Amino acid sequence: MACSGGVDSVVLTHLCVKSGFKIILVHCNFNLRGKESDEDEQFVRRLANQFKVEVLVKSFDTKHYTQNHKGSIQMAARTLRYEWFAQLAAERKIDYILTAHHLDDSLETFLINLSRGTGIDGLSGIPAQNDKIVRPLIGFSRAEILQYAKNENFSWREDSSNMESKYLRNKIRLEIAPKLKELQPAFLKNFKQTQVHLEQTNSLIKNHINQVKENLFKEKNGVISIDIEALSALKPQKAYLYQLFKEYGFKEWDDVYGLLTAMSGKEIHSTTHRLVKDRTDLILSTKETKSRQTFLIEKDELKTTIPIPLTIEEVEIMEKGAPNVVFLDKEKLNYPLILRNWQKGDYFYPSGMKGKKKLSKFFKDEKVDVLSKEKQWLLCSGEHIVWVIGRRSDERYKVDDSTKNILKITCSV
């Protein structure tokens, strides 16, 4: 239970205790108001002692964090608070994180997001529950909570910074929201009903988008392929692109839109994901560090698991081939064998063909997508490619009539 010491969190604390919930009070001291911040902390400690519940307090150097991470003080405090809550929830196996947000907070968030040109997500206000975070007071106004606290003769702390209009949220709270309530006495009640309508509409949109994803997003080995022709047929196109890709962190929507008609190989990035144009598809994957490592296989090694699982054995006869198995003339190999990723300029002599072929051309002919190419491993003997693993072996190392020792290598992925 997040408790600042203000009237909202004090009321919620009393209600939780009265309801018999097993709670831990958590308090963030952001060290922004000197002595006043320390007195808030002491108040919460006394409240926990009064109810004989555990209390956890964390002190933050919020100003220093803001300087290093940019943004506003309020956003820094929010980030620090929820990161700590998430950490506690994981460590202590907490079921729920309760906060004392109320209807006026939701109105302020609505107006802030409205001023920033938000979509329907931002206009839906603060949800009553978001995963483990639960807001039991979100349906009640600040006035109702305050009146309840007075009726019950509760004590609480007043945050002096709430009266400073230099912050956008405070300016809305002190100057704009009161004017709206004056214009329409039932404003908050009507706003609450509007939030219900918006939330229901948003649910309809999410359900529809999930159905579209089921039809368009084809996942294989952690990589998602999306047919561009089918994606382009959705109207209004930009609205669909936003709804389909927003959860992957993309924000430059003109770039996402432009990818539909871009040259093959063009790609864009979010902080967590990568979207690549690959001929007729968009390929969506999580970002990974490109590997440029090489791994050695010594002559006496029979098995390797890094970077991929390979089993090596000598056999008497060559069986019918499979993509994940290769048969080689052992005497033609130079040890140690090398496992590495493919690189531009690589070429080999594909089995069953005369002459060499660039791997880039081989991949194009085989319709190998961009991400699969990057993850492709090669088995090499010196500078020569022996096996494009799982796809094609090299003609120069094939088993023939002169072969004395046959080497069978099996890839288990």
Side-chain angles (χ1 to χ4, degrees):
M1 164 68 219
C3 186
S4 66
V7 63
D8 315 318
S9 59
V10 166
V11 165
L12 185 53
T13 301
H14 277 266
L15 292 174
C16 285
V17 172
K18 190 174 182 179
S19 300
F21 295 157
K22 183 181 177 182
I23 62 170
I24 299 171
L25 288 190
V26 290
H27 177 78
C28 300
N29 187 338
F30 294 110
N31 293 292
L32 294 172
R33 293 175 288 116
K35 183 180 178 183
E36 190 177 328
S37 292
D38 295 333
E39 289 174 348
D40 289 348
E41 177 184 325
Q42 293 306 314
F43 174 86
V44 173
R45 290 186 184 277
R46 289 195 298 271
L47 187 66
N49 186 58
Q50 173 188 339
F51 289 121
K52 295 181 173 54
V53 298
E54 184 178 0
V55 60
L56 301 172
V57 175
K58 191 171 181 69
S59 180
F60 296 98
D61 188 346
T62 313
K63 288 182 178 178
H64 183 262
Y65 179 92
T66 306
Q67 290 169 355
N68 289 340
H69 294 80
K70 300 181 180 179
S72 68
I73 285 283
Q74 288 186 321
M75 284 305 298
R78 184 184 187 281
T79 300
L80 291 169
R81 175 168 64 245
Y82 281 108
E83 283 182 352
W84 182 44
F85 292 169
Q87 178 187 341
L88 287 176
E91 292 174 353
R92 302 290 291 267
K93 297 183 179 177
I94 301 296
D95 294 316
Y96 298 105
I97 301 166
L98 305 187
T99 69
H101 290 95
H102 47 68
L103 189 56
D104 289 77
D105 291 322
S106 192
L107 172 61
E108 292 158 13
T109 298
F110 172 90
L111 292 172
I112 289 171
N113 290 338
L114 182 65
S115 71
R116 293 172 176 167
T118 187
I120 194 169
D121 284 332
L123 296 181
S124 298
I126 303 173
Q129 182 168 354
N130 184 11
D131 196 19
K132 284 191 171 188
I133 300 173
V134 181
R135 305 172 178 95
L137 302 182
I138 200 67
F140 299 94
S141 69
R142 179 182 286 112
E144 289 173 314
I145 293 169
L146 184 60
Q147 189 58 54
Y148 178 81
K150 288 179 178 178
N151 293 344
E152 297 295 321
N153 200 30
F154 293 159
S155 297
W156 63 86
R157 296 279 300 170
E158 294 288 355
D159 185 342
S160 62
S161 68
N162 286 338
M163 302 308 294
E164 298 175 5
S165 59
K166 65 179 181 179
Y167 299 118
L168 177 58
R169 183 175 289 275
N170 286 2
K171 196 172 186 67
I172 291 172
R173 179 180 303 158
L174 299 172
E175 300 177 17
I176 298 175
K179 294 293 184 183
L180 293 172
K181 294 172 186 176
E182 284 178 20
L183 290 172
Q184 170 57 264
F187 181 84
L188 263 187
K189 179 182 177 182
N190 293 341
F191 170 73
K192 182 178 178 180
Q193 191 59 43
T194 299
Q195 292 281 276
V196 172
H197 294 323
L198 286 170
E199 188 175 338
Q200 291 174 345
T201 301
N202 205 17
S203 293
L204 287 174
I205 292 171
K206 288 178 179 177
N207 289 338
H208 173 63
I209 290 300
N210 286 337
Q211 290 175 354
V212 172
K213 277 188 175 180
E214 284 183 17
N215 293 329
L216 288 186
F217 284 44
K218 306 301 181 183
E219 184 174 354
K220 184 178 180 181
N221 298 326
V223 174
I224 297 172
S225 298
I226 308 122
D227 182 87
I228 292 175
E229 185 178 356
L231 189 62
S232 299
L234 299 173
K235 307 296 180 187
Q237 198 169 77
K238 288 189 176 181
Y240 269 104
L241 291 177
Y242 171 76
Q243 293 292 340
L244 289 168
F245 293 105
K246 66 179 180 178
E247 69 177 276
Y248 305 105
F250 295 100
K251 296 178 181 178
E252 302 299 329
W253 296 108
D254 285 340
D255 291 345
V256 177
Y257 177 71
L259 205 59
L260 299 179
T261 54
M263 295 282 289
S264 188
K266 174 75 174 176
E267 58 185 75
I268 60 173
H269 298 257
S270 70
T271 55
T272 57
H273 285 76
R274 178 183 180 197
L275 194 59
V276 182
K277 169 74 175 288
D278 186 59
R279 293 185 292 273
T280 60
D281 293 328
L282 293 184
I283 310 297
L284 177 66
S285 66
T286 54
K287 275 186 168 180
E288 296 179 5
T289 303
K290 293 182 180 179
S291 175
R292 290 297 176 211
Q293 290 180 287
T294 58
F295 300 85
L296 302 181
I297 300 177
E298 301 295 342
K299 196 168 187 176
D300 57 349
E301 280 191 69
L302 300 178
K303 195 170 187 178
T304 179
T305 56
I306 299 174
I308 53 174
L310 295 178
T311 302
I312 305 164
E313 57 185 322
E314 285 194 44
V315 294
E316 295 294 327
I317 58 173
M318 189 171 73
E319 307 157 7
K320 188 175 180 180
N324 67 321
V325 178
V326 67
F327 293 91
L328 304 171
D329 187 326
K330 186 177 181 181
E331 304 306 317
K332 296 176 182 178
L333 298 172
N334 293 318
Y335 285 88
L337 300 179
I338 299 169
L339 275 172
R340 65 170 176 85
N341 293 115
W342 90 282
Q343 299 170 8
K344 287 185 178 180
D346 278 337
Y347 66 89
F348 76 129
Y349 290 75
S351 59
M353 292 178 60
K354 292 182 179 180
K356 65 182 180 181
K357 190 172 191 176
K358 280 193 172 183
L359 266 183
S360 56
K361 180 67 167 61
F362 171 76
F363 288 143
K364 184 177 181 180
D365 292 344
E366 295 292 315
K367 294 183 170 53
V368 180
D369 66 69
V370 175
L371 299 182
S372 296
K373 283 193 290 187
E374 291 182 357
K375 295 178 179 179
Q376 180 66 57
W377 288 97
L378 307 177
L379 180 66
C380 303
S381 173
E383 297 294 320
H384 293 172
I385 295 172
V386 174
W387 185 25
V388 182
I389 296 178
R391 299 187 189 276
R392 197 79 163 265
S393 60
D394 190 289
E395 179 74 10
R396 294 169 292 181
Y397 295 89
K398 72 176 184 179
V399 175
D400 55 29
D401 294 338
S402 64
T403 300
K404 297 178 180 178
N405 296 301
I406 301 174
L407 200 66
K408 178 185 178 182
I409 302 179
T410 304
C411 179
S412 302
V413 292

